[in-house]
Amino acid sequence: EVQLVESGGGLVQVGGSLRLSCAASGFAFDNHVIGWFRQAPGKGREAVSCTSLSDGGTYYSDFVKGRFIISGDNAKNTVYLEMNSLKLEDTAVYYCTIGGRTTWYYGPDYWGQGTQVTVSS
């Protein structure tokens, strides 16, 4: 059984930083990536960033590029999302996800329970 356990969400002021963590179990990452989607109030889910634990490749959406950093620990099957220079529009529920290398962006196969990130002014 695949399990994704997220942590690290919370309340932060504009310009602040947060780090999300996601520990994965029950999965082999051969041709898959692990990363984050988010869903803001009243909006659909959108891809944020992902990484391959096997080769370290990364993807960032345009709206977080230069502000967020994704990293992975292959030995621990854990991925981290360092979120810097947070904006009000980054407020959302962030979901840890796993999907195929070429399909993750369009719809991951597995989802965590989500962690709330709230950016306040």
Side-chain angles (χ1 to χ4, degrees):
E1 179 187 2
V2 176
Q3 285 193 321
L4 298 170
V5 180
E6 301 133 328
S7 60
L11 176 65
V12 65
Q13 289 190 321
V14 169
S17 298
L18 277 176
R19 189 173 89 149
L20 305 182
S21 300
C22 174
S25 61
F27 195 82
F29 286 93
D30 296 347
N31 290 306
H32 290 74
V33 296
I34 181 169
W36 301 86
F37 268 64
R38 72 184 186 185
Q39 186 169 22
K43 297 188 177 181
R45 292 178 176 180
E46 58 186 1
V48 177
S49 178
C50 70
T51 185
S52 165
L53 292 182
S54 58
D55 63 20
T58 59
Y59 160 82
Y60 295 96
S61 64
D62 286 343
F63 51 79
V64 303
K65 201 172 293 183
R67 299 189 297 125
F68 291 10
I69 301 172
I70 193 167
S71 60
D73 185 330
N74 196 14
K76 297 181 179 179
N77 274 0
T78 298
V79 65
Y80 306 96
L81 186 68
E82 184 76 31
M83 304 186 295
N84 302 306
S85 302
L86 283 162
K87 304 176 180 180
L88 291 173
E89 53 264 41
D90 293 319
T91 295
V93 177
Y94 284 71
Y95 296 91
C96 183
T97 61
I98 293 174
R101 281 180 174 269
T102 59
T103 60
W104 172 86
Y105 182 89
Y106 304 102
D109 300 312
Y110 301 97
W111 294 74
Q113 80 282 1
T115 185
Q116 177 70 46
V117 171
T118 302
V119 184
S120 70
S121 57

